[in-house]
């Protein structure tokens, strides 16, 4: 009797392993980006609002990158997407240009997305902004980095990702203009002012990874973060 029970148990385990759906990582894909153009506010405002369409409804991730011109004071009191609070991932101060840069994130939004940035006091000059979105994102890797350099013609921004198949997303701005994406880097919306939202355009191995830009002489600043893919069931073919 015990022999038959053992055989039945082993057979059940085998059948479950064969016929139950398995989890696999769904590949992250780029969704949409705010078109590059005159993406900035008037001088001296306390808030700015802009709109972008997120076309994906499959585990979307929405990123905002913006900076305050002629200000190194963190005046940001809130950032919302369709009224819901966004999470600040990282920021950096560029003392050479007296600017401060931010990268924010929110999951699960779709359709027309309205971003509102509120400041605790008026901006010294203008607020510049961009945004983009992705699908099949499980969340944000816990590592992030921010970097600022002065009077160079190229910038490699490196971070250590801890999860395989991460993508890196970055806000980059070159004060000298002429911004061009380098190796392992895709610029999604390069503006006339030399700023862009960019990404790795594909999955990365866990470890040290970089995005790369060349540009005209001047200050270049970058803020970046990593996102990991969502686990999705894979239907077996029998």
């Amino acid at each position: 009797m015990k022999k038959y029970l053992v055989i039945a148990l082993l057979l059940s385990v085998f059948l479950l392993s064969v016929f139950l759906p398995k989890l696999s990582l769904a590949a992250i894909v780029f969704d949409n980006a705010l078109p590059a153009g005159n993406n900035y506010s008037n001088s001296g405002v306390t808030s700015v609002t802009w709109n972008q369409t997120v076309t994906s409804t499959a585990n979307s991730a929405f990123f905002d990158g913006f900076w305050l011109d002629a200000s190194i004071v963190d005046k940001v009191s809130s950032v919302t997407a369709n009224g819901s609070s966004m999470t600040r991932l990282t920021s950096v101060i560029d003392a050479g240009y007296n600017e401060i840069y931010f990268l924010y994130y929110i999951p699960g939004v779709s359709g027309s997305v309205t971003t509102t940035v509120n400041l605790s006091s008026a901006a010294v000059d203008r607020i510049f902004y961009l945004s983009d979105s992705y699908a099949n994102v499980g969340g944000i890797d816990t590592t992030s980095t921010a970097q600022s350099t002065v009077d160079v013609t190229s910038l490699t921004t490196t971070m250590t990702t801890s999860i395989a198949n991460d993508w890196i997303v970055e806000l980059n701005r070159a004060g000298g203009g002429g911004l061009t994406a380098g190796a392992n880097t895709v610029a999604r919306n390069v503006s006339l002012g030399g700023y862009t939202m960019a990404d790795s355009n594909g999955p990365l191995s866990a470890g040290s990874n970089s995005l790369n830009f060349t540009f005209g002489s001047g200050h270049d600043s970058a803020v970046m973060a990593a996102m990991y893919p969502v686990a999705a069931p894979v239907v077996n073919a029998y």
Side-chain angles (χ1 to χ4, degrees), residues 25-87:
L25 294 177
I28 293 173
V29 293
F30 171 74
D31 176 63
N32 200 13
L34 184 72
N38 297 323
N39 301 331
Y40 54 83
S41 71
N42 294 324
S43 300
V45 301
T46 56
S47 68
V48 63
T49 297
W50 70 92
N51 295 285
Q52 180 192 315
T53 300
V54 177
T55 61
S56 173
T57 58
N59 299 99
S60 67
F62 180 70
F63 295 87
D64 284 331
F66 62 92
W67 71 96
L68 309 183
D69 192 30
S71 175
I72 58 173
V73 179
D74 187 348
K75 301 178 178 182
V76 179
S77 57
S78 68
V79 180
T80 62
N82 288 348
S84 297
S85 295
M86 300 186 70
T87 299

Side-chain angles (χ1 to χ4, degrees), residues 132-158:
D132 59 10
S133 55
Y134 301 82
N136 301 331
V137 178
I140 299 298
D141 198 341
T142 55
T143 54
S144 64
T145 187
Q147 182 174 339
S148 177
T149 60
V150 180
D151 295 327
V152 293
T153 57
S154 66
L155 178 66
T156 296
T157 310
T158 301

Side-chain angles (χ1 to χ4, degrees), residues 13-36:
V13 171
F14 170 75
L15 291 174
L16 286 173
S17 68
V18 171
F19 291 104
L20 278 181
K22 296 178 176 63
L23 289 180
S24 177
L25 294 177
I28 293 173
V29 293
F30 171 74
D31 176 63
N32 200 13
L34 184 72

Side-chain angles (χ1 to χ4, degrees), residues 91-115:
S91 62
V92 67
I93 290 175
D94 183 340
Y97 266 11
N98 295 325
E99 296 170 342
I100 183 167
Y101 295 75
F102 302 91
L103 186 63
Y104 277 75
Y105 155 82
I106 191 170
V109 294
S110 62
S112 179
V113 178
T114 300
T115 295

